[in-house]
Amino acid sequence: MTDTGPPTASTGYDVIHGYLRSLDSSPGVYRMLDADSRVLYVGKARNLRARVSNYARPGPHSPRIARMISETATMMFLTTRTETEALLLEQNLIKQLKPRYNVLLRDDKSFPNILVTKDHDFPMIRKHRGAKSQKGDYYGPFAGAGAVNRTLSQLQRVFLLRNCSDSDFETRTRPCLQYQIKRCSGPCCGMISKPDYALSVKEAENFLQGRTKGIQEALAAQMQAASEEMLFERAAALRDRIKALTQVQSAQGINPQNTAEADVIALHTDGGQACVQVFFIRANQNWGNHDYYPRISGEEDLAEVMEAFVGQFYAGREPPRMLILSHGLDNDDLMAAALAEKAGRKIDIVVPQRGEKAELVQNALRNARESLARKMSETATQSRLLKGLATAFDLPKVPQRIEVYDNSHIQGAHAVGAMVVAGPDGFDKNQYRKFNIRGEDLTPGDDFGMMKEVLTRRFQRLIKEDPDRSTGTWPDLLLIDGGQGQVSAVRQIMDALGVSDIPMVGVAKGLDRDAGKEEFHRTGKPVMALRHNDPVLYFIQRMRDEVHRFAIGTHRAKRSKAIGATPLDDVPGVGATRKRALLAHFGSAKAVARANLADLKAVDGVSANMAQVIYDYFHEQG
């Protein structure tokens, strides 16, 4: 790849024309930058010279493209070996740089999967989100936590698989509540043999892979055999499992019969806004849907929006074997080749006109249309609330980004800070941040000190990464949970950081600490309140409640992790499997620390070298 520096030129068309002398017909990616070196647009080209020449002369450009050309001060180029490689690079750069004039996929959350572990004699089934680093089989993606939880509940009712942690499994002395309510077969206490449990795991995996036809017949045969042997309790248990499976299958009427693995992607635009609905079809089952609202100008055609969405959506995800689209792409063969290269297998892209696949697309289109209508209504309401907020607190402009802060701890232990963000689209959960309070000199329970640490870390990073405030990550308003004392302390912190122009409001509980009687504190202004039925008051209450929820949830997660921690977590080379083996052998981490070298070597899975490492670690610690 090569990078061509900018020539000497003035602005707009002249600038772009100056690059043509140094470009050839290679495929590649180009970037258009403004006078402040901010990226305006990222594009790909089969022939860089031919593509750039289209921008180098006045022509029938859309208003969006004309504005982009007029703002272009420099360009950068990266040549690639193939057009497919250029497409992949383009989508990566768009996700990284977020150029103003590109169609942008704003919601980039990961999707949950179901994990069947393979590092234990009695595998566990659970929800998993993130990197697939644990040994086991992953099934997904599911559209959200609700879809995963429903499927897990079905699997537990039918196949009685455990969902407890390995440490809980090893320490159980009698079956837990899951066994009592017939959601687990009780392998922890020997209520089921290893071969029988393995058969249940296999049947569950067949269910997740769509091979469900023989499962009910096998359960019916087992029930008949148990009845003939007069094992009536076992026959009744099998009857209940068959009943649960029947209910599961009857609830799956919306599942496609002839589409085993696909993502159904439907696009609807209206009023300069777009909604994309993605339905996940795996193992002939509908595993839920998710809606997206990519940023568009309203001047792009549907093929351009769809191509941008597909490219960015799968830039960090593994594509299924088939994409079923509501609108075709300008370069569907190129996109299929790029996704196939990424996945290492063939990817089909289809725009169906009839049959089951067309019905799937129509269903997704209807959902996209309805979702966009709701979104536009909510956006209008949110816009009115933001304007009301600006009027109520005499803000210099209508806020586009509100940051709300809170702390959570128990007598100073496991202290965390939390920040939530609200704006024109409501709460922006991708922008939420949590802060582990690290100040060793803080007095336990010092809320002022915690807030100082959180704000200092937050704004020092902003000053370093975006000193010109050009990325939209600087807040227009700070909401602080507290009264005049907190507001004064925060103002001092911000003044010390050299950030004194951001308005802030403290939200205090007010008389009797009742919701609806909140008092609002601002620097240099008298205390004020809002009408009890003012929509702006409800909006502020929602933001305060949301930051409370996020802070408390973060604190609880940190506390739970600390409760489950043992000194073995810090021993080099001791992972989950060795930790489980050591605790099962010795009973506690304290006993491991006191063990001699010979006893450590006797533990299954612990080599002589590893035993020496463990022994040295605890004895060096004293």
Side-chain angles (χ1 to χ4, degrees):
M1 294 184 180
T2 61
D3 193 343
T4 305
T8 302
S10 51
T11 59
Y13 296 107
D14 294 333
V15 168
I16 297 171
H17 190 274
Y19 286 96
L20 294 178
R21 294 188 298 271
S22 59
L23 291 176
D24 57 21
S25 59
S26 301
V29 173
Y30 58 93
R31 280 176 275 181
M32 307 174 84
L33 295 82
D34 65 11
D36 296 322
S37 298
R38 291 174 296 202
V39 179
L40 300 171
Y41 185 78
V42 174
K44 70 174 187 315
R46 180 182 303 172
N47 182 324
L48 277 173
R49 180 178 175 80
R51 187 72 181 91
V52 172
S53 66
N54 291 334
Y55 296 116
R57 56 180 179 271
H61 299 300
S62 68
R64 176 178 70 104
I65 299 300
R67 288 193 304 271
M68 180 181 73
I69 292 173
S70 68
E71 295 177 28
T72 300
T74 57
M75 293 186 71
M76 297 178 65
F77 303 91
L78 289 166
T79 60
T80 59
R81 292 169 295 181
T82 65
E83 189 181 4
T84 300
E85 188 177 332
L87 174 61
L88 295 172
L89 178 58
E90 176 201 31
Q91 301 305 331
N92 288 334
L93 288 174
I94 290 173
K95 290 190 66 175
Q96 176 186 348
L97 301 174
K98 296 179 172 56
R100 185 190 316 168
Y101 288 99
N102 282 98
V103 175
L104 294 181
L105 172 58
R106 292 183 288 189
D107 185 355
D108 194 28
K109 65 177 286 185
S110 62
F111 292 103
N113 291 267
I114 286 179
L115 168 63
V116 180
T117 62
K118 295 296 183 182
D119 55 358
H120 196 279
D121 289 342
F122 293 92
M124 171 180 58
I125 185 167
R126 65 176 178 84
K127 179 172 61 180
H128 176 87
R129 192 192 293 269
K132 298 178 181 179
S133 55
Q134 186 171 349
K135 185 178 180 181
D137 294 330
Y138 294 83
Y139 299 92
F142 289 80
V148 170
N149 292 337
R150 286 191 296 273
T151 303
L152 284 173
S153 177
Q154 295 166 357
L155 291 172
Q156 286 177 270
R157 290 167 57 201
V158 177
F159 303 108
L160 309 181
L161 303 184
R162 73 179 181 96
N163 64 353
C164 59
S165 67
D166 290 346
S167 58
D168 285 343
F169 182 93
E170 301 294 348
T171 56
R172 294 296 306 181
T173 57
R174 60 180 181 177
C176 66
L177 180 62
Q178 291 291 96
Y179 176 80
Q180 305 297 335
I181 63 174
K182 300 180 181 179
R183 293 293 183 91
C184 179
S185 54
C188 56
C189 299
M191 299 298 178
I192 185 173
S193 66
K194 183 178 176 181
D196 288 344
Y197 188 86
L199 179 60
S200 296
V201 172
K202 182 63 177 177
E203 290 176 342
E205 291 184 310
N206 286 337
F207 175 83
L208 288 169
Q209 294 166 3
R211 297 195 290 267
T212 60
K213 184 176 180 180
I215 295 177
Q216 193 160 359
E217 295 176 357
L219 291 175
Q222 293 175 34
M223 182 182 69
Q224 181 65 29
S227 178
E228 291 174 355
E229 296 175 15
M230 290 188 286
L231 301 173
F232 298 119
E233 289 187 5
R234 173 169 170 75
L238 288 166
R239 178 203 61 201
D240 293 341
R241 290 174 65 185
I242 293 171
K243 183 178 179 180
L245 184 60
T246 301
Q247 292 174 347
V248 170
Q249 291 172 335
S250 65
Q252 291 179 345
I254 60 172
N255 292 335
Q257 299 299 312
N258 303 313
T259 306
E261 179 183 333
D263 284 352
V264 183
I265 304 176
L267 165 66
H268 179 72
T269 60
D270 187 15
Q273 299 187 51
C275 177
V276 179
Q277 280 278 344
V278 184
F279 280 75
F280 304 97
I281 307 297
R282 300 294 186 273
N284 294 98
Q285 301 174 49
N286 186 339
W287 283 359
N289 65 300
H290 197 278
D291 49 0
Y292 294 88
Y293 302 91
R295 190 192 76 188
I296 64 172
S297 69
E299 299 171 8
E300 305 91 345
D301 59 36
L302 295 178
E304 180 182 356
V305 177
M306 180 64 84
E307 182 170 309
F309 176 85
V310 171
Q312 293 176 52
F313 186 73
Y314 294 108
R317 300 181 177 92
E318 182 178 349
R321 298 183 183 277
M322 177 179 292
L323 305 185
I324 304 175
L325 309 183
S326 62
H327 298 83
L329 311 178
D330 289 334
N331 302 285
D332 53 353
D333 292 341
L334 177 62
M335 182 64 73
L339 295 178
E341 182 175 312
K342 175 182 175 60
R345 51 181 165 77
K346 183 182 178 182
I347 306 294
D348 292 322
I349 298 179
V350 298
V351 183
Q353 303 301 315
R354 63 182 65 85
E356 179 185 78
K357 294 180 177 62
E359 292 177 4
L360 292 171
V361 167
Q362 289 303 315
N363 179 48
L365 269 173
R366 184 180 66 255
N367 279 270
R369 184 168 55 251
E370 294 170 354
S371 295
L372 185 57
R374 288 193 297 269
K375 181 74 170 180
M376 294 173 72
S377 175
E378 292 166 1
T379 300
T381 301
Q382 190 75 5
S383 178
R384 289 194 295 269
L385 289 173
L386 293 174
K387 290 178 181 177
L389 193 67
T391 301
F393 295 119
D394 299 322
L395 302 179
K397 64 177 183 178
V398 176
Q400 299 301 299
R401 181 184 174 98
I402 304 170
E403 293 185 358
V404 195
Y405 291 88
D406 192 19
N407 301 319
S408 183
H409 59 89
I410 295 180
Q411 297 181 340
H414 313 304
V416 296
M419 177 190 85
V420 304
V421 177
D425 295 324
F427 291 112
D428 187 354
K429 296 190 177 183
N430 286 336
Q431 294 293 315
Y432 286 16
R433 295 293 181 267
K434 55 187 177 183
F435 302 83
N436 287 314
I437 303 299
R438 299 193 292 246
E440 297 180 357
D441 56 343
L442 288 178
T443 303
D446 180 4
D447 285 322
F448 289 124
M450 294 178 192
M451 186 61 68
K452 179 179 180 180
E453 178 178 333
V454 168
L455 290 172
T456 299
R457 286 165 56 186
R458 166 66 179 155
F459 283 93
Q460 280 183 343
R461 182 167 184 172
L462 273 180
I463 292 168
K464 178 181 178 181
E465 296 182 351
D466 186 22
D468 299 328
R469 306 191 185 187
S470 60
T471 63
T473 55
W474 281 79
D476 300 313
L477 174 66
L478 299 183
L479 279 185
I480 308 299
D481 184 35
Q484 190 61 52
Q486 282 87 346
V487 171
S488 298
V490 171
R491 174 53 66 197
Q492 293 175 10
I493 296 168
M494 300 297 284
D495 288 344
L497 292 169
V499 184
S500 57
D501 59 335
I502 298 178
M504 64 182 63
V505 175
V507 185
K509 286 290 197 302
L511 185 65
D512 299 327
R513 300 182 65 81
D514 285 341
K517 299 181 179 181
E518 285 84 356
E519 295 178 343
F520 301 98
H521 300 263
R522 297 168 293 170
T523 305
K525 296 183 179 181
V527 178
M528 63 170 289
L530 296 172
R531 297 191 323 271
H532 183 72
N533 61 348
D534 193 328
V536 173
L537 176 60
Y538 298 147
F539 181 40
I540 294 172
Q541 290 172 345
R542 289 204 309 274
M543 290 191 286
R544 182 195 59 197
D545 293 344
E546 175 67 1
V547 77
H548 283 340
R549 180 199 66 79
F550 186 55
I552 292 170
T554 302
H555 164 73
R556 286 174 176 168
K558 184 177 181 181
R559 186 180 65 197
S560 297
K561 185 176 180 181
I563 290 173
T566 75
L568 291 173
D569 295 328
D570 298 324
V571 180
V574 174
T577 302
R578 284 198 178 112
K579 176 182 173 182
R580 184 170 62 245
L582 288 164
L583 291 175
H585 187 91
F586 291 103
S588 69
K590 184 178 291 186
V592 176
R594 294 173 177 171
N596 59 43
L597 190 58
D599 290 338
L600 290 171
K601 292 179 180 178
V603 178
D604 290 338
V606 177
S607 64
N609 289 337
M610 192 68 245
Q612 188 68 54
V613 169
I614 299 169
Y615 182 84
D616 291 344
Y617 175 85
F618 286 110
H619 286 74
E620 288 173 4
Q621 298 288 321

